[in-house]
Amino acid sequence: MKKAFYTAVVVSLAALTACEHKELCYEHPHTTEVEVVFDWNYAPDAEANNEVESMCLWFYPVDEAGQRTGAPIYQSLAGMKGGQIHIPVGRYEVLYYNNDYERVQFRGRENFLTHECYTRKGSLFETVSGRAADDTAPRADGTEEETVVITPDKMWGDNAMNVEITEEGLSYWFVRDGETEITTVANDEKRFILMPHEQVCDYTFEVRNVENLKYATRVCAALSGMSGSVFCAKEELTETCVTLPLEAVSDGVSTLMGAFHTFGHHNANDERHILTLYAWLEDGNGYYGSVDVTEQVDNAEDRRNVHIVVDGFKLPKPITNGGGLHPDVEEWNPVDVDIDM
């Protein structure tokens, strides 16, 4: 509602007079300039290959007891080196990660501990037929009820706890990658040095000695028993198991290979990890085979870098020459798969 002219003048003069008193100005939040520096020592390949286009930070205001005091403050920085930001002085818990993703989604971002990264529901044959693919193939025994979700992008990031930003400097707690001891970082230059690390796992699979692979027109795979999301603050995986649709590449002779990212496997889950392979042949018939690869996943030397090996996927020769691609398969037939121990 508009005010009378003399009222506006009085208010303006009062505001100017108030600003002459320094103590009254401090009733408003003061901001300060902070230099954010991303140190990629824990992810040297990302830096060497210039894999990150931009980074983002979420500042969650808290009091001295760690209780939330306001809405999160979002900051985005182009490139992977960092840059200058303006932020109100105060205490924070901070999350940061690359924000050039395409496949991952987020929920619960209003709170530090509920900030969750996940992927959307997908189709079992999405890697070969697109998002609208019709999943008519049988699932591996015991995995039929798992939701199919797509694999995530490559993600890097971490958190910083007990962050205190003042006009004179800043300090924060930092837990180095792979360690549990808290390191306190403080400086008067207001340089916020952060060290992102990989936040997803890298998986590869190799299927050797595939008989009659040259007759396959399309191939794909699926892996069950994986976690479908991760809470970013503690990098804690959710326990609900999902099945991931996977792209498989054929050498046209005898080998299938694939590589993908995943949030990983929750240690509390005792669900089996089943790798299922699907192949379309020239005559329009479809064949599938499943193998339990739980030991290879759970006992991997590096849980963030897992290589799965399967030996012996026995495709039959086509009954007739089908004359090209058959997008639909009326009946799927099981085949034998042997694991190389």
Side-chain angles (χ1 to χ4, degrees):
M1 180 179 297
K2 292 183 177 180
K3 304 290 185 181
F5 177 76
Y6 73 90
T7 304
V9 172
V10 170
V11 171
S12 298
L13 290 174
L16 291 172
T17 303
C19 282
E20 292 178 359
H21 300 282
K22 187 175 182 181
E23 64 274 8
L24 294 180
C25 289
Y26 274 97
E27 294 178 0
H28 305 284
H30 277 214
T31 63
T32 188
E33 188 173 67
V34 171
E35 180 187 5
V36 177
V37 178
F38 293 112
D39 181 340
W40 293 88
N41 186 57
Y42 291 146
D45 289 345
E47 182 176 35
N49 299 325
N50 198 30
E51 294 187 63
V52 176
E53 295 180 0
S54 57
M55 298 288 291
C56 67
L57 303 96
W58 290 81
F59 289 80
Y60 291 86
V62 294
D63 59 21
E64 292 186 7
Q67 299 300 310
R68 176 180 173 181
T69 61
I73 301 171
Y74 176 80
Q75 299 278 354
S76 180
L77 293 169
M80 58 191 304
K81 298 298 185 181
Q84 301 289 334
I85 64 170
H86 283 85
I87 190 80
V89 298
R91 293 179 179 270
Y92 299 94
E93 293 172 328
V94 179
L95 289 175
Y96 60 94
Y97 46 80
N98 59 300
N99 64 345
D100 52 357
Y101 48 80
E102 296 179 354
R103 303 166 67 84
V104 301
Q105 300 179 22
F106 291 88
R107 57 194 169 209
R109 291 194 286 195
E110 63 275 9
N111 288 305
F112 180 70
L113 292 177
T114 62
H115 196 130
E116 183 182 6
C117 177
Y118 70 102
T119 56
R120 64 166 174 80
K121 292 182 179 180
S123 167
L124 199 63
F125 296 155
E126 186 163 337
T127 60
V128 292
S129 301
R131 186 170 181 176
D134 180 23
D135 293 350
T136 58
R139 305 276 290 273
D141 291 343
T143 71
E144 297 87 351
E145 300 303 317
E146 291 187 3
T147 302
V148 177
V149 303
I150 64 173
T151 56
D153 305 91
K154 189 80 168 183
M155 297 293 293
W156 297 268
D158 202 350
N159 64 49
M161 305 285 290
N162 199 32
V163 179
E164 184 175 9
I165 299 174
T166 70
E167 293 182 333
E168 289 73 36
L170 60 81
S171 64
Y172 55 97
W173 287 353
F174 173 65
V175 179
R176 300 186 184 279
D177 187 33
E179 301 180 5
T180 57
E181 182 178 350
I182 295 175
T183 300
T184 299
V185 179
N187 66 72
D188 298 333
E189 299 175 349
K190 288 184 282 189
R191 299 184 75 235
F192 198 14
I193 303 174
L194 302 172
M195 302 183 72
H197 63 260
E198 291 186 22
Q199 294 193 305
V200 295
C201 304
D202 296 323
Y203 275 50
T204 56
F205 65 89
E206 181 180 1
V207 186
R208 303 167 179 167
N209 299 315
V210 182
E211 296 183 13
N212 298 310
L213 181 57
K214 65 180 180 180
Y215 299 114
T217 58
R218 290 186 299 173
V219 290
C220 67
L223 182 63
S224 71
M226 306 305 294
S227 180
S229 66
V230 60
F231 290 103
C232 300
K234 295 184 178 180
E235 296 188 23
E236 180 180 359
L237 299 176
T238 50
E239 294 188 32
T240 302
C241 289
V242 299
T243 293
L244 305 176
L246 309 176
E247 181 180 5
V249 178
S250 168
D251 69 353
V253 181
S254 64
T255 303
L256 296 173
M257 293 177 291
F260 60 98
H261 307 307
T262 172
F263 296 121
H265 159 72
H266 196 292
N267 291 333
N269 271 330
D270 57 3
E271 297 293 335
R272 311 300 291 175
H273 301 295
I274 309 298
L275 180 68
T276 303
L277 307 167
Y278 299 95
W280 289 253
L281 297 192
E282 293 175 350
D283 60 7
N285 288 312
Y287 294 88
Y288 72 98
S290 298
V291 60
D292 190 329
V293 296
T294 303
E295 290 190 8
Q296 294 193 56
V297 172
D298 292 353
N299 298 330
E301 182 176 348
D302 182 353
R303 297 290 293 273
R304 286 190 177 272
N305 292 276
V306 178
H307 182 57
I308 299 169
V309 176
V310 174
D311 199 332
F313 189 57
K314 301 177 181 178
L315 291 174
K317 290 183 178 181
I319 298 175
T320 59
N321 185 357
L325 176 66
H326 293 260
D328 298 317
V329 173
E330 294 184 1
E331 182 177 0
W332 284 90
N333 308 284
V335 297
D336 295 327
V337 184
D338 299 321
I339 190 169
D340 181 6
M341 301 301 293

